[in-house]
Amino acid sequence: MKESIITKQNEVAQVAEKIKNSAAVVAFKYQGLTVEAFQGLRREMRENKCEVSVLKNNISRRAAKECGYDELADVFTGPIAVAFSSDDVVAPAKVLFKAMGAENAKVEVLKGVVDGDVYSFDQLKTLSQLPSYETLLTQLAAGMLGTVSQLAIGLNMLVEKQQEA
């Protein structure tokens, strides 16, 4: 009996540590998905550097409360899976909302934690529509490059004009 209590406490501590070390955590319902569809969802999550875990609700609830996310703890009833991302705050929500709109209409996003804040369904949906971090950096770099190249052209024209005079 004592051994099982210690084991459960260790599981709670491990899940709590995983939540704390994640940039984004999203809880979702998956009931009704075929095994192949759920495996496909896991594969797509892995491709986006996310991890999907199906944990015992009691363990997940206690871990969420231990991390101070009481609002998230409320969703752990019934078959719930959790998506974790250590780096990208957008990836789990983006993959799940894409799955909701596609062939896996049985996926239902519930709540999540992004950078330490509990997000509702609507907030996660808005987040899922944002470009990824890498895309935003690329857009920023492209915008800056355009400005720098225009500056270089202007300076070159100025130097040529001074050389003519």
Side-chain angles (χ1 to χ4, degrees), residues 39-122:
Q39 300 241 337
L41 181 61
R42 279 190 169 187
R43 194 174 316 106
E44 191 170 349
M45 284 287 194
R46 271 194 307 274
E47 289 169 3
N48 285 280
K49 297 179 181 142
C50 301
E51 177 187 339
V52 174
S53 298
V54 177
L55 308 162
K56 292 181 181 177
N57 286 336
N58 194 32
I59 302 288
S60 300
R61 193 178 308 114
R62 287 170 49 194
K65 285 184 178 183
E66 187 176 304
C67 294
Y69 303 126
D70 292 344
E71 291 177 52
L72 180 64
D74 298 342
V75 302
F76 293 108
T77 57
I80 304 291
V82 183
F84 298 94
S85 174
S86 58
D87 301 326
D88 193 346
V89 296
V90 177
K94 187 177 284 290
V95 171
L96 287 169
F97 277 95
K98 179 181 168 193
M100 282 176 63
E103 67 281 353
N104 302 328
K106 299 193 185 298
V107 172
E108 182 185 341
V109 175
L110 300 171
K111 283 186 182 178
V113 175
V114 178
D115 279 338
D117 295 322
V118 177
Y119 276 43
S120 68
F121 171 85
D122 291 330

Side-chain angles (χ1 to χ4, degrees), residues 115-158:
D115 279 338
D117 295 322
V118 177
Y119 276 43
S120 68
F121 171 85
D122 291 330
Q123 290 169 312
L124 288 170
K125 186 172 184 175
T126 301
L127 182 69
S128 74
Q129 295 166 347
L130 293 175
S132 69
Y133 180 73
E134 290 80 17
T135 304
L136 287 172
L137 285 178
T138 303
Q139 290 173 347
L140 177 64
M144 291 172 61
L145 183 61
T147 305
V148 170
S149 65
Q150 288 176 351
L151 176 64
I153 291 169
L155 289 174
N156 188 37
M157 289 172 61
L158 185 63

